[in-house]
Amino acid sequence: MIETVKQARRLAAVSHEAAALGLYAGQKATDAAALVPELQVVDAEPEADAEALKALVDWCVRFSPAVAADAPDGLFLDISGVSHLWGGEAGMLADFRARLRDNGLAFRLAIADTPGAAWALAHYGQDGVIAPPNGQGEFLKPLPPQALRLGAEAAAQIQRLGLRRVGQLMEIARAPLGRRFGQATLTRLDQALGRSAEALAFRRPATPWTARLAFFEPISAPEDMERVTQDVAAKLCARLEREGRGGRRFEIAFHRVDGRSPSLAIGLSLAGRDARRIARLFQPKLETVDPGFGIESVTICAYAVEAVSGRQERLDAGQDPAVEDGLAPLVDRLVNRLGPTRVFRARPRESHVPELAVGRDLPLEKPAQEVQPWDRETPRPVRLFRQPEPLEAVIALTPDDPPNQFRWRGRVHRVRRAEGPERIAQEWWKQDIADVSVRHVRDYYRVEDADGGRFWLFRSGLYQGGEPAKWWLHGLFP
């Protein structure tokens, strides 16, 4: 493949046959054509390559929930806590290798404690090598310095000085090494050896809490999918039970034989580990999963895992039932059916402005700090409009009398009883004093019409002769 780099046509990638003839990535296209006149070339498609790498990242979720792309042609998998699902790292590597080979992909694999060491061994070491824990240093020593992912300038300088192995760099004192080749060289060496951490951009959050089930024959029937959902949830929840943990969010992925992995996610209002309850939350969503030509394995991951205390199955007389036994399952069903923003608990906020005096909290979340409850002497409507709605044809004596009549949504309402006004001004201390205006002052009234309807309306601004008052409806009382 050929790409244009700084107005020059260069080889972006070469086949094994082309590499055997002395061609390499980055070589000028004219030089390559001179060496191999019969060379066949195609234009590189970086956007298509990026989409293919993204699809491969999603496919790799069957091996680990934490997969990061290493553009343009690499992947990092965090297999901490999941390799035992394949009988160990060697079994997992063998299964990964077989699947990549069956899909016709060229690859090199390596396992190490750090992303830097794994990258170095995969690119410059022996294919399929597994470095023992804390033993990647010995495997890195014979590799060339380019294995540390150094910058072009530092790599060229190291090459000029005759340093051919990473082990030679490891023998140089840190201070001279940093002065000669830059801080980036020290950072890459430390990352490869595990002396400093390296941040990876995982497509999904990393979590060690995962379980997997593989099948001898692909499944596709709805009742089979329900059963394996229950089974894999029970497998994960058993581990959470042993560790005294619970999760707030669970994601299950169905790995199809064609490589696609449709997934579903559910959330809990309180951290939990009840497999039956989790499976019931997944059940209504299973009908949206297309099994394709069959599902060969299923994985489930728990996120937002936290410590939870044990709970007796049988409550003693006189004890109040735990919230998990009553309200929490109902809240979870509503949240997963209606959406996380549709179920909430209204809590008072310290503000006298109506729309700022109510906040939305998670249904069962305990408040971070206690606030004063709403004032019972100044009742507020049960239904407060998101935005006040304008009123028309308002008849009221000025400056302070409530309206005798108003029209709302095309219907005329004659007021029978009224109470007010309650004057509410803007929170002037939260903005520049120059922006404070009497137009933001509101006079609220609680009124009842001839049919018994009760409304909460207000007049905006102070009365000024010659200028008609503007009236708004802000809420409804039961």
Side-chain angles (χ1 to χ4, degrees), residues 246-302:
R248 284 180 176 265
R249 190 167 65 86
F250 294 83
E251 183 174 347
I252 189 170
F254 299 91
H255 307 292
R256 305 188 332 194
V257 294
D258 62 357
R260 298 185 179 275
S261 301
S263 61
L264 301 173
I266 59 100
L268 303 181
S269 53
L270 296 174
R273 53 174 181 255
D274 186 341
R276 290 181 298 176
R277 175 178 161 200
I278 293 170
R280 283 198 299 267
L281 294 176
F282 277 121
Q283 186 175 357
K285 301 183 179 184
L286 291 177
E287 61 184 16
T288 65
V289 177
D290 180 10
F293 293 105
I295 296 170
E296 58 182 356
S297 64
V298 59
T299 57
I300 187 172
C301 300

